[in-house]
Structure formats: C-alpha cells, structure tokens
Amino acid sequence: MKVKLFLTEAGELSRFTGRFFKQWFRPRYEIAELMRQCYVIGYNSLPLVGLTAFIMGLVLTMQLRPSMVDYGVESQLPAIVGIAIIREIGPVITALIFAGKIGSSIGAELGSMKVTEQIDAMEVSGTNPFKYLVVTRVLAATLMLPVLVLLGDAISLYGSWLGVNIRSTTSFSLFWTQVIDNLSFSDVLPAFIKSYFFGFAVGIIGCYKGYTSSKGTEGVGRSANSAVVVSSVVIFVIDLLAVQVADALGFKLKT
Amino acid sequence: MIAEKEHIAGKETPSPGGNVLVIRNLFKSFGNNHVLADFNLEIQKGESVVVLGKSGSGKSVLIKCIIGLLEPDKGSIEMFGKNIPDLDEQELDEIRAKVGFLFQSNALYDSMTIRENLEFPLRRHWIEVSQDEVNTMVMEALEDVGLEHTVDMMPAELSGGMRKRIALARTLILKPEIILYDEPTTGLDPMTAKGIIELIVEIQKKYNTTSLVISHDMNCVRMASDRVVILVDGRCYASGTFDSLLKNPDPNVKQFFE
Ligand SMILES: Nc1ncnc2c1ncn2[C@@H]1O[C@H](COP(=O)(O)OP(=O)(O)OP(=O)(O)O)[C@@H](O)[C@H]1O
Ligand SMILES: [Mg+2]
C-alpha cells in the first residue's frame, strides 16, 4: 500500500516536472514575476544561509583541530576545511536550509492559493497560472540556490578562518592561499553544478506539493510540511548521484 | 447527430439580442459521481438567469465548465458563438476578457493589496494600458461597490461582505458583457446579502450585462432573476419566471420555495 502510494506520487511528480519542461520556454514569459521571485527567494534566504554557513565553518574548524593536532598536521587545517565546505557541506547545508525556508513557503503559498481558488481566479484573468506561479518559482529557485551556495561558502570560510585564529594566528591571505592551493577546478565545478539541481528540486517539489494540495486549509499545512521533507530527502539522493556521476566523468575524488 | 443539432437549432426563435450563451447536452462526472447529465440552457443578451440547486448538485461545476476551468465530458458550451471546450489557451483568454466570474470563495489574492487585486485582470488581459487609465478604472470599479477607501488595504483586513464587494469590483473592472456569479450571498448576513443583491441588480441595469447567478437565497432569486432554472440530478429540471415557479406544484420545485 505504502509502495503503491509512493509510486503514484513519484509518477505525479514526474508528470508535473514534464509539464514544467513543456511550458517554461514558451511565451508568454513572465519576466517581471521571475525577477520578483528571484528577489524574494534569493534575498530573503540570505540572512539564514549566511548565519548557518558562518557557524558551520567556525564549528567545523574547532571540531577538526584536536585531531589535526594529534596527527601533527595542524597546518593542513585550512585545506581540509576548505575541501569539506566547498565539496560537500556548503552545498548540502545551504540546500537544506533553502528547502526548509523556501520549499515550505512555496508549498504553503501555492497550497493556500489553490484551496481558496486564487489559482482559478488567475486563470480566468487571462493568466496561465502554471507559468505565472510555478515556472517563475522553479526557475528562481534553480538560479538563486547556486548563488546562495557561493555566498555561503565564502562566509563559511570566513568563519573557519576565525576558528583557526582562536588558537593560533594566521593572516586571512595566508589562510585563503592555503584553501585555494588545495582546491582544484574539479572540486568546485561539480559542487556548483549540483547546487542547480538542488535548487530545481526544492522549487519543483514545493510547487508540486502546493499546486496539487487539496482538502481545505488542513491540506495546506500538509503540503508545506511534505514539501520540506521530500525535498530534503531528494537533496541527499541527488548528492549521492552527483558524486557517482562526477566520478564517472573523471572528476576524480582526491585520496 | 448533425441533423439532430440542426433540428434543435431550428426550433429556436431568434431573440432580438441573440443568445450569448448556449449550453447543449452537457455531461460532467467525477469518477462515478455523475454531476451534470444532459444539461441544457440558453441565455439571451441582457437576460438575467438564476440557477437554483441544492448544495452539491453541481452548480459550481456548471459555471466552471462555462468559463473553461473544468473540461466537460460531453456537450457544447457556446459563448459569443464559440464552443468553449474547443478553444485553445489564447482564444479562451479572449473570451474570458468579456466574461466576469465571481467566485464562491471570492478568491481575492491574499498577497496583493486591493489595488493590485483589481489591477491584475486589467494588466493581464490588456497589456498596453497606461497607469493613469488603470488608476481611473480601479477607482471607478471601487466606486461602483462603494469601497473607495479600501484601495490600499490587504484583503485580510476586510470583512466578509466587503471582500465579496471587492471581488465584485474585480469582476466589473473589465466591463464584462456577461457575469457569472457563484452564490454571491452565501455566508453573509441577510442585510449584507441584500446589499449585494441590490448591487448586482444595479450593475445589470447600469452596464446592461447578461448575468447567470447561482444561488439558493430566495431574496436573490426574486430580485435578480428574469428567469429561474432549477437544477436537479444534473439536469435542467424546470424553468420559468420566479412567479410561475412559485405556483408550480411539483415537489422537486416546491422544496426550493418553502
Ligand atoms: N474537482 C473535483 N473533483 C472531484 N469532485 C468534484 C470536484 N468538484 C466538484 N466535485 C463534486 O461535484 C459535486 C458538485 O459540486 P459543486 O461544487 O458543483 O456543488 P455546488 O452545487 O456548487 O454546491 P454548493 O452549493 O455547496 O456550492 C460534488 O459532489 C463534488 O464532490
Ligand atoms: Mg458551489
């Protein structure tokens, strides 16, 4: 029974995604609304992403230091932290925060628009609600998450530099050189690309849950909630796939 | 099939205004729930028709089919001479610009101010329209419903009756030729309901709109109807003026007038 439910849901979600790909490149283009959504989605999650990224960088550094000292490789701390943040922690933590904030708000907003017939009202007012509401939000989420990840990475590294400086002194430029020297293009690129997929997943799942919600106001809460749960899980699944794909494409994991 | 259609069409005596809306053999079901089964209706220009029906009898489904929000299983819905189920998105939008639709739940956009709510259909249907024109039309529509002072408020700040009137203003802003009202008075106290009905009648006179009103409020039926249609079992069960139906002894009709 659960399996059947899961499969129906997955099928519906794929159909919804198919509808997105059929509609997004066709006129009429909702440029103004897309810009507004980019602002809402990107700018509004910035404080939260910044704060969590900063704490992540700081704490990670402080937690790693004792082991690094034990092994006598304390000088490698910036390099290790840099790789961990850029390759994995930055994109995944940012995406999870993004799912919590944006996924739920998209789910709740579209859900309440659906149950109060606002989506029907838009359709009657000469607007394709799928384009106006769904396409703009999905594109905005897809475009904004990578930007947030980059900013988050930078803030994280800054936090990490502060963490290094708690017990010793390193200038920021030295710290930065150490991080950059140990990163290669093949570390940065897959991480950057996968954050597009994370953004897309959060956008499309939030919209799907909201757009198809039913059963009155109770359904709205459920939509918002399951938007977060499903997109968080999907983020990890994409992460798992991304590492395999990157590996297969020759972006070798460092040993 | 074609011969039959011609036969039916031939029976019509063309009225001076002509038919704005012609519904023939409309069927719509959700799974096993046959909501509309062979529904027929014609509305002439300038006429005001009220559809009476019990809760759950498919009144909302009917007008959602008319505006193209739901796709009927069978049958034709001709509005301004075009069959709604056959139209593509663009043609449908052209028709919808001439049709007002008042939702049962008002469907005001929560995230927008009253001004933005009213501007929405204007901007979406007529892309080339100056800000000055938009402002005048917004204020004019608000004046019609007597709520000019709410222009910069949010829908959540208004009472139920005010929201209904704003929804009405949003419907009026495009000066529609036909307005479909889905239970305009449900959930309002009798006084407010009366105000809304008076407003509807006033609008009918002022703009000479054709209207299709869905209701089970007897005041509304009496005041706003040229003709009443009773929807039972998904079909047009009886039809006539308010007074003629009032005298109808059929129990299915009588139940609405008690
Ligand atoms: N989208 C839908 N999916 C499935 N069933 C639906 C849908 N919309 C309406 N129905 C069913 O169609 C029937 C008629 O619903 P409708 O909303 O038209 O009733 P109504 O006559 O407008 O009632 P009310 O006076 O309470 O508004 C109901 O049994 C309802 O369950
Ligand atoms: Mg209804």
Side-chain angles (χ1 to χ4, degrees), chain A residues 23 28 30 109 112-113 115-128 131-132, chain B residues 64 67 69 89 93 96 101 103-105 107-110 112 120-121 123-125 127 170:
Chain A
Q23 298 234 17
R28 130 193 206 184
E30 307 283 1
E109 190 187 8
S112 70
M113 291 187 79
V115 300
T116 57
E117 297 182 306
Q118 291 175 52
I119 291 182
D120 286 345
M122 284 197 165
E123 190 167 349
V124 172
S125 297
T127 300
N128 178 333
K131 275 191 194 133
Y132 189 82
Chain B
K64 281 186 180 164
I67 196 78
L69 284 173
E89 201 180 314
D93 281 345
R96 281 168 175 169
F101 193 107
F103 283 87
Q104 190 167 356
S105 58
L108 295 179
Y109 307 123
D110 292 328
M112 304 183 194
F120 193 86
R123 294 208 178 283
R124 309 300 300 184
H125 277 302
I127 300 153
R170 189 177 67 182

